[in-house]
Amino acid sequence: MTKTINDVYMELYHRFKEADDPQPSLAARELTAYACKADKAHTADWGHAYLDDATVDYAHLLCDRCLDGEPLAYLLGEWDFYGLTFQVDKNVLIPRSDTEPLCEMVIAQAKKKVSPRILDLCCGSGCIGIAAAYHVEDARVVAVDNSEGALRITRENARRLGVQSRFVALSADVRLRPPGNMGQFDILVSNPPYVTRAEMHQLDKSVYNYEPHEALYGGVDGLDFYRAICANWGSLLAPGGMLMFECGWQQSSDVVAILEENRFIDIGVTEDLSGVPRIVYGRNIEINDPLE
């Protein structure tokens, strides 16, 4: 029997639902639109569009791969974050909604400045820095990663979203001292690798088997990158500049301590959308601030 796009969507929806996917309608809609080359913004038309058997089989093949653990975002080659669509592949972590409050904080701080300079360390797909450049029209962003694959994705995302003229992607290992002549920045933001050695073996197979380990593993206690960034890159912050980190669900107090050890002030913690203490921030000492 000839099937419509909507028939395929319903079949995939039931498969995802039976597999206890947390968002079966989202997964089914995204996969159906991709496999059938359909417009997901006009699903009302799906009931009138008929498919050949090969397309139906392809949709179910993709569903098989997804149910076997392969992330939907990698199958699609893109994922939405902060209202924008980013290209992704296995060189970068998939942008997650948990990171959107951090992005929102960066944008809010940047809008307080004239032509703010933003440094995005361990940039991955570039989602934080690019979203900031997109929403703050006079912002200038430098994104840093030590993965050439990630930097290729970052540059393509900057081009696609039209911010490449105010965006530079550099190769560097943030565990080492920064390259010379980078200047000073108003905002330093990072969502670094922070998974501990013990946690690496507890990750969901869709993460452990597919997402890049070098973007996940943060050392034995998960804090290697926070220590290195504060010690080596904090000097790039202008007086009064803001440092903002995402951290693991049990790490906020440890990251606060690292900021304190490196003489940041006005340190605070903000929760993510699930109420987890996820964002740690602090301010560089102003020239006229009294030293403690």
Side-chain angles (χ1 to χ4, degrees):
M1 182 179 70
T2 305
K3 294 180 179 178
T4 67
I5 297 175
N6 195 62
D7 291 332
V8 172
Y9 164 76
M10 292 304 301
E11 289 173 354
L12 299 192
Y13 169 77
H14 288 300
R15 292 188 65 186
F16 281 116
K17 188 173 178 61
E18 289 169 5
D20 293 324
D21 187 280
Q23 295 181 296
S25 60
L26 171 66
R29 183 176 67 252
E30 293 284 347
L31 210 54
T32 300
Y34 178 77
C36 303
K37 296 181 172 59
D39 187 347
K40 61 187 178 184
H42 295 90
T43 56
D45 300 332
W46 286 11
H48 308 290
Y50 290 90
L51 302 169
D52 56 53
D53 291 342
T55 301
V56 175
D57 291 342
Y58 179 55
H60 280 279
L61 175 63
L62 291 177
C63 187
D64 290 340
R65 291 169 59 184
C66 197
L67 292 176
D68 195 43
E70 189 168 351
L72 177 60
Y74 290 155
L75 288 171
L76 303 176
E78 61 183 29
W79 202 244
D80 290 346
F81 174 83
Y82 208 77
L84 303 171
T85 300
F86 290 85
Q87 184 183 89
V88 295
D89 67 12
K90 293 180 181 179
N91 288 292
V92 299
L93 295 182
I94 299 165
R96 288 167 168 82
S97 59
D98 286 344
T99 303
E100 291 188 350
L102 173 62
C103 190
E104 189 170 356
M105 285 186 65
V106 171
I107 291 169
Q109 287 295 319
K111 286 182 175 179
K112 297 177 182 179
K113 303 283 187 178
V114 176
S115 299
R117 295 195 77 215
I118 301 170
L119 179 60
D120 179 7
L121 300 181
C122 305
C123 65
S125 65
C127 60
I128 298 174
I130 291 171
Y134 185 90
H135 289 284
V136 185
E137 294 183 355
D138 62 342
R140 292 166 293 161
V141 178
V142 176
V144 174
D145 207 289
N146 67 343
S147 163
E148 288 301 327
L151 291 171
R152 174 180 54 79
I153 292 290
T154 295
R155 293 180 182 118
E156 176 60 17
N157 281 326
R159 185 194 67 78
R160 285 186 173 197
L161 291 165
V163 302
Q164 70 270 32
S165 64
R166 296 179 287 111
F167 188 93
V168 176
L170 298 178
S171 177
D173 188 338
V174 304
R175 291 167 295 187
L176 307 176
R177 295 195 63 81
N181 303 316
M182 289 190 68
Q184 288 195 312
F185 294 85
D186 301 290
I187 296 169
L188 191 163
V189 59
S190 183
N191 179 12
Y194 56 69
V195 179
T196 68
R197 178 185 291 173
E199 290 170 340
M200 284 295 294
H201 301 289
Q202 301 166 3
L203 292 172
D204 186 88
K205 70 174 184 178
S206 67
V207 177
Y208 187 85
N209 291 343
Y210 294 96
E211 300 201 50
H213 286 198
E214 62 271 22
L216 293 166
Y217 183 58
V220 175
D221 63 359
L223 302 172
D224 286 1
F225 286 82
Y226 301 102
R227 297 187 184 100
I229 289 171
C230 286
N232 297 328
W233 295 72
S235 60
L236 297 183
L237 271 177
M242 292 292 294
L243 168 65
M244 290 176 255
F245 281 128
E246 178 173 317
C247 63
W249 68 286
Q250 292 181 307
Q251 293 175 323
S252 60
S253 59
D254 291 323
V255 177
V256 165
I258 292 170
L259 265 66
E260 291 174 340
E261 291 166 7
N262 286 273
R263 299 177 66 194
F264 285 89
I265 61 173
D266 299 336
I267 299 168
V269 178
T270 297
E271 297 178 344
D272 66 15
L273 300 173
S274 301
V276 175
R278 183 73 66 184
I279 302 166
V280 177
Y281 58 89
R283 186 166 62 87
N284 192 21
I285 296 176
E286 295 269 14
I287 294 175
N288 295 324
D289 281 336
L291 297 180
E292 295 184 3

